[in-house]
Amino acid sequence: MKIALFGEELLETKALRDFFQERNIGSGIVSGKEKEIQRNQRTGLVFQNELAIENCVFSSIPDTLVVFDTKTKKWKRYYFNLFTDEETDVISVLAEDINQSIDRMNARYGKRDP
């Protein structure tokens, strides 16, 4: 299952709604305090102080989102509102390549945490 982890600044944005719909993500972990209106409008969200899941803790970077795959334990960070759509696609591909290289290096040296 894929879970999205993000800061509360993205909560009510169109970009986040589109992202969840395009990638069929049903649940998320939000770094921030739950507000009454959000609880009534969105289901499948967990609010906590830090972006953490299964002993993995991620930095909360404004306008970014981490998708964590609970099955493979792999993750990928997506950037919103930072660049144009074309630039964001290129950056996401480069970031994924970097993350895969880091994962291979960590596997080689016995480290598993991001």
Side-chain angles (χ1 to χ4, degrees):
M1 177 170 68
K2 292 184 180 177
I3 297 175
L5 298 92
F6 54 94
E8 65 182 343
E9 74 279 351
L10 287 176
L11 250 181
E12 299 301 323
T13 64
K14 182 180 181 332
L16 183 71
R17 287 189 298 271
D18 292 347
F19 185 89
F20 268 58
Q21 191 171 38
E22 288 170 6
R23 290 174 175 77
N24 198 25
I25 296 174
S27 62
I29 295 175
V30 183
S31 174
K33 295 186 179 183
E34 184 174 8
K35 297 176 183 171
E36 187 67 32
I37 190 167
Q38 294 159 347
R39 187 180 323 129
N40 292 331
Q41 290 179 355
R42 303 204 36 93
T43 58
L45 296 179
V46 174
F47 289 79
Q48 57 192 39
N49 290 332
E50 61 184 356
L51 293 181
I53 185 170
E54 296 186 14
N55 298 324
C56 295
V57 179
F58 299 95
S59 300
S60 181
I61 300 171
D63 295 321
T64 68
L65 174 146
V66 174
V67 174
F68 183 84
D69 189 325
T70 58
K71 189 174 185 179
T72 64
K73 309 295 187 241
K74 292 189 178 190
W75 59 275
K76 181 177 178 182
R77 188 178 293 270
Y78 294 86
Y79 299 83
F80 296 96
N81 307 322
L82 192 57
F83 304 102
T84 65
D85 289 343
E86 289 175 3
E87 291 170 322
T88 298
D89 290 342
V90 170
I91 290 168
S92 294
V93 168
L94 291 173
E96 184 172 2
D97 288 344
I98 291 168
N99 286 336
Q100 288 175 354
S101 296
I102 291 170
D103 289 343
R104 284 193 297 270
M105 185 181 73
N106 285 341
R108 186 179 320 154
Y109 295 105
K111 297 179 182 176
R112 299 283 181 214
D113 293 335

